[in-house]
Amino acid sequence: MPATVVDVTVNSPNHTALVAALTEAGLARPLTGEGPFTVFAPTDTAIASALQALNISVEEFLASPDLATVLQYHVVAAEAMSSDLSDGMELTTLVGEALVVSVNNGTVMINGATVTMADLEAGNGVVHVIDAVLLPVDRDEQDNQEELPATVVDIIANSPNHTTLEVAVSQANL
């Protein structure tokens, strides 16, 4: 068994970009600590896909001021083996944000990323390989978005084009 969760990724030919990012962000050493840690480790292919979608280079990714936050969003300060995960469960990351577990027909997903290899144990925790990069919610961006109406009736009530429908819905007690 590898000594640390970092050793699991270092010894994997599919996690070279993750190891480079952990090193660049100064997180490799802390993740060799006592733990326990659960790391959701995106593969090189997942990272390449994310960089392409974000239209940034590896160099830009590694130089990003958000790099440490993005990486810490993949780490939970507890050991969560796959048998511990259940549908709807939330796991709090090192940045204090929740990851949501989905389990459907034996497939485990974390915020929409599929766990492709589970339970790679280490002396200080466990690594689960995932097929996508997890990105934390930008709270400032989320706060600046307009609040969506709570119901269809709210949409109708706030629309100047649906006054007749609003009256009908109201009279029908819908």
Side-chain angles (χ1 to χ4, degrees):
M1 174 185 322
T4 71
V5 292
V6 173
D7 293 331
V8 172
T9 60
V10 166
N11 293 326
S12 167
N14 299 315
H15 291 96
T16 57
L18 178 60
V19 171
L22 288 170
T23 302
E24 184 67 30
L27 295 174
R29 183 170 301 282
L31 291 175
T32 62
E34 186 175 322
F37 301 109
T38 297
V39 176
F40 295 99
T43 61
D44 290 342
T45 302
I47 291 174
S49 293
L51 296 181
Q52 184 176 13
L54 294 169
N55 198 28
I56 62 173
S57 68
V58 172
E59 293 77 19
E60 290 169 315
F61 173 63
L62 293 176
S64 170
D66 299 323
L67 180 62
T69 301
V70 170
L71 294 171
Q72 290 172 333
Y73 190 65
H74 290 77
V75 182
V76 175
E79 187 174 84
M81 301 299 287
S82 62
S83 59
D84 300 328
L85 303 177
S86 60
D87 192 47
M89 179 179 195
E90 291 188 358
L91 301 167
T92 303
T93 67
L94 293 184
V95 294
E97 299 290 329
L99 298 175
V100 179
V101 178
S102 302
V103 181
N104 188 7
N105 294 326
T107 300
V108 177
M109 298 182 83
I110 308 297
N111 282 20
T114 301
V115 175
T116 58
M117 188 176 297
D119 299 336
L120 301 174
E121 293 184 74
N124 70 343
V126 62
V127 174
H128 302 292
V129 177
I130 56 175
D131 69 351
V133 173
L134 306 172
L135 295 174
V137 174
D138 183 340
R139 292 291 171 206
D140 293 332
E141 185 177 306
Q142 186 180 38
D143 291 344
N144 290 333
Q145 291 180 353
E146 281 186 40
E147 189 171 322
L148 297 175
T151 68
V152 173
V153 174
D154 293 334
I155 294 170
I156 294 167
N158 292 320
S159 170
N161 299 323
H162 295 98
T163 54
T164 303
L165 180 58
E166 181 182 6
V167 170
V169 167
S170 177
Q171 287 180 349
N173 292 320
L174 297 175

